[in-house]
Amino acid sequence: MKARWDIFCSVVDNYGDIGVTWRLARQLVAEHDCGVRLWVDDLRAFERMCPEIDVQVHQQWQEGVDVRYWPSDWPATDAADVVIAAFACQLPPDYMEAMAARERTPLWMNLDYLSAEDWVVGCHGLPSVKFKGVQKYFFFPGFRPGTGGLLREAGLLEQREAFQQDAAARQQFLQALGVSPAAGARLMSLFAYENTGLASWLDVLAADGRATHLLVPEGRILGDVQRWLGVESLKTGDVHRRDGLTVQVLPFVRQEQYDRLLWCCDFNAVRGEDSFVRAQWAGRPLLWHIYRQDEDIHLDKLDAFLELYTEGLSPAAKTALVSLWQAWNADGNMAHSWKMLLEHWPEVTANAEKWALEQGSRTDLATALVQFYVNWI
Ligand code: TRH
């Protein structure tokens, strides 16, 4: 009999919570033959990356996943064999009672935030709290051996490589989005939170001898782009030129399309958690806008990742990359570190590909979850 999984997703803000759980749910169905219910408390956020979602409907099938609206008045529901609370969300109390009432208690896991810090290895898989005999476990994604790994669908890197080698497919994809970069232009994408350091970066891109075509999906950074351009409004489809820099606003597209967009670009600025991982699979240099946390604890996460990611770089290339990422995450001036990075472009590009292949050789997160369950029973 198929194992039944319940994944709970509470959308706290932005799109990372639903982005990660939607990806995981689909992969468990498609590659591991699991029966998955995905409980989501905000279908509007979901609709942005999966336009087929009907926000009025409380139960619907999407790509083999049983998508359920998670209402505040929880309906009586049987508990599944495996229960995943994403990002430490609190399960409905009645559902917890249903877990405890099962003859065979379910495997209950907290799917945690992604971090490259070394303590994650020691905490991954440990028991957490217990509720009436139902034990909860910590499950940590990560980059290091001994963690739960990263979300990566089967064959993803092969698909990405084939796409990157197929100029016609790339051109067709970009044209469908209305993107036609000038020959020789550097193609870049920008997905980030508000950042006052952006102006200094756009200044230096505009002044560069090589043209840049910057694709900006609709989102929180648009206000800073608009201020720099000095225009009254910015909307999807708008294209503005300032010297060597072309800025184009794109719609928020479905996850598969966003992947392809990242694969097309020479450089990707990403944020949060899921887009950060997807940019790594693109095998191209990237810039991470990390989600800001109280007492600046996100900066430890940033440093931990940089330490791993830059291990194979020469000292000069490492300095350039680290200073660029640190400037970006401090709303700092980007001009100097960007110019430095350009001097090491071939090296950071090769490193991005090497990193993707290295990480891609590890067990992916969905498989690791299934293995955890198999070992537990
Ligand atoms: O949206 P994010 O900032 O999400 C978060 C939240 O801030 C959350 O609180 C935090 O816990 C978490 O990050 C770590 O960034 P993220 O994670 O990259 O999620 C964005 C999702 O949107 C990702 O799945 C990719 C997807 N996406 C599209 O599907 N289409 C698009 O056009 C774009 C730009 C993104």
Side-chain angles (χ1 to χ4, degrees):
M1 258 244 300
K2 266 189 186 186
R4 292 188 306 120
W5 293 55
D6 270 333
I7 303 177
F8 285 85
C9 171
S10 169
V11 177
V12 178
D13 59 2
N14 303 317
Y15 303 105
D17 311 291
I18 184 61
V20 166
T21 50
W22 173 226
R23 215 181 267 296
L24 171 64
R26 277 181 296 170
Q27 202 186 339
L28 287 170
V29 168
E31 296 175 25
H32 299 280
D33 196 30
C34 304
V36 181
R37 285 190 299 204
L38 173 59
W39 297 92
V40 185
D41 66 358
D42 177 359
L43 293 176
R44 292 211 180 270
F46 198 171
E47 190 192 19
R48 294 298 305 279
M49 65 188 65
C50 176
E52 290 77 22
I53 287 288
D54 184 339
V55 295
Q56 307 298 335
V57 175
H58 286 197
Q59 195 265 318
Q60 55 197 298
W61 288 89
Q62 297 292 347
E63 300 190 38
V65 177
D66 183 357
V67 175
R68 304 283 179 116
Y69 176 58
W70 175 0
S72 44
D73 51 336
W74 180 255
T77 309
D78 285 349
D81 304 308
V82 187
V83 180
I84 296 188
F87 305 112
C89 68
Q90 290 297 317
L91 301 185
D94 287 352
Y95 186 84
M96 292 183 35
E97 294 293 344
M99 290 200 299
R102 272 179 59 122
E103 197 175 321
R104 193 195 167 103
T105 56
L107 170 62
W108 177 22
M109 285 180 280
N110 180 42
L111 177 60
D112 236 290
Y113 290 94
L114 174 62
S115 173
E117 291 162 295
D118 53 6
W119 59 262
V120 167
V121 178
C123 295
H124 172 60
L126 289 185
S128 162
V129 293
K130 236 182 188 178
F131 175 78
K132 296 189 177 175
V134 190
Q135 178 68 60
K136 182 168 165 181
Y137 293 88
F138 291 110
F139 194 97
F140 279 93
F143 304 94
R144 297 170 186 268
T147 66
L150 302 171
L151 279 171
R152 187 188 75 249
E153 299 80 7
L156 181 76
L157 294 192
E158 292 76 6
Q159 274 177 43
R160 183 267 286 178
E161 274 163 31
F163 185 78
Q164 285 177 338
Q165 279 161 21
D166 186 342
R170 282 200 319 274
Q171 195 187 14
Q172 199 183 6
F173 168 78
L174 289 172
Q175 269 173 2
L177 284 176
V179 177
S180 318
R186 192 185 291 120
L187 191 62
M188 310 204 330
S189 75
L190 171 63
F191 181 48
Y193 309 113
E194 297 78 4
N195 195 323
T196 51
L198 180 71
S200 62
W201 191 18
L202 299 185
D203 282 345
V204 78
L205 288 172
D208 193 356
R210 181 173 169 194
T212 297
H213 194 118
L214 182 67
L215 304 172
V216 192
E218 272 179 319
R220 290 171 56 174
I221 193 77
L222 272 195
D224 294 299
V225 177
Q226 189 182 319
R227 263 185 294 284
W228 183 81
L229 287 168
V231 293
E232 286 198 354
S233 69
L234 265 187
K235 57 180 189 327
T236 299
D238 285 356
V239 182
H240 291 271
R241 276 189 199 88
R242 296 286 181 277
D243 303 320
L245 175 62
T246 302
V247 177
Q248 180 166 7
V249 183
L250 294 186
F252 198 94
V253 292
R254 43 189 325 127
Q255 276 184 330
E256 298 75 17
Q257 284 179 300
Y258 182 59
D259 271 347
R260 277 172 176 66
L261 185 73
L262 296 170
W263 300 351
C264 285
C265 288
D266 302 300
F267 187 88
N268 294 298
V270 285
R271 71 183 204 193
E273 196 162 299
D274 191 53
S275 60
F276 172 49
V277 172
R278 304 314 280 189
Q280 290 169 56
W281 296 140
R284 297 277 162 84
L286 68 144
L287 172 63
W288 183 24
H289 205 188
I290 190 168
Y291 187 73
R292 202 164 267 185
Q293 286 174 288
D294 292 341
E295 294 167 25
D296 282 350
I297 53 172
H298 59 287
L299 296 180
D300 294 336
K301 283 192 187 174
L302 186 77
D303 290 346
F305 179 79
L306 279 170
E307 207 47 54
L308 289 184
Y309 184 73
T310 59
E311 233 164 38
L313 288 178
S314 66
K318 177 174 172 167
T319 304
L321 194 92
V322 169
S323 60
L324 185 80
W325 283 41
Q326 285 174 342
W328 189 233
N329 284 287
D331 292 67
N333 191 307
M334 302 282 285
H336 180 62
S337 45
W338 178 252
K339 285 184 198 153
M340 267 204 298
L341 191 79
L342 289 181
E343 287 169 23
H344 303 282
W345 199 261
E347 190 184 341
V348 291
T349 302
N351 185 62
E353 180 65 33
K354 184 169 144 272
W355 174 263
L357 297 181
E358 247 169 52
Q359 290 296 323
S361 68
R362 299 198 201 289
T363 304
D364 69 90
L365 189 136
T367 304
L369 276 168
V370 171
Q371 283 172 356
F372 195 88
Y373 173 56
V374 170
N375 293 339
W376 177 81
I377 47 176

